[in-house]
Amino acid sequence: MPFALALTVVLALLALFQLALVCGAPWGRFAWGGQHRVLPARLRIGSAVSILVYALIVLIAWDRVGAVDVFGGVFSEIAMWVIFGYFVLGIVLNAVSRSKPERYTMVPVSIVLAVLSFLVAAGYGELATAI
């Protein structure tokens, strides 16, 4: 469970960052390619959708470790491996960003998310079930 909790904390912080972007915070150079200081409407919508995606990832992670039972074991196990792949892709995409602030900030964050999602997907930290 500690890895699902850590994943939740990191995604909650990212959700707050995305919410700030939605509200017009001048931190656009850290996201979406870093081309805008304040995000235009279409990217603000993307940030809002990201918050929903983060919430879904957290729900899947907690399901995977057995803290909740929403999706069933097979779905959450497969979904966590897909999420791991998504975060690995995020490492690559952030690494090739033209924005130095985005590269220097989001590559390490993406690495942390990939490692945590790998640990959850691999079953580390699952709750023990009664026999």
Side-chain angles (χ1 to χ4, degrees):
M1 239 174 53
F3 303 120
L5 178 60
L7 184 65
T8 300
V9 169
V10 175
L11 288 173
L13 293 172
L14 276 176
L16 290 173
F17 169 71
Q18 294 289 357
L19 181 60
L21 292 174
V22 168
C23 293
W27 301 335
R29 67 184 161 271
F30 294 98
W32 300 109
Q35 297 178 356
H36 305 280
R37 188 174 155 273
V38 175
L39 296 182
R42 66 181 174 79
L43 292 179
R44 288 183 189 202
I45 292 168
S47 287
V49 170
S50 293
I51 295 168
L52 298 175
V53 170
Y54 298 158
L56 179 61
I57 291 169
V58 166
L59 188 58
I60 292 168
W62 285 106
D63 190 83
R64 173 68 179 107
V65 299
V68 299
D69 187 17
V70 178
F71 303 108
V74 174
F75 173 83
S76 62
E77 185 175 350
I78 293 168
M80 277 310 302
W81 286 111
V82 171
I83 291 165
F84 166 67
Y86 171 76
F87 288 135
V88 169
L89 180 62
I91 295 168
V92 175
L93 294 176
N94 284 308
V96 300
S97 173
R98 293 181 184 163
S99 168
K100 279 187 182 180
E102 183 176 28
R103 280 195 315 267
Y104 294 152
T105 304
M106 293 305 174
V107 168
V109 171
S110 296
I111 291 169
V112 168
L113 289 169
V115 168
L116 290 171
S117 63
F118 171 82
L119 293 170
V120 172
Y124 294 102
E126 285 185 58
L127 291 175
T129 54
I131 296 178

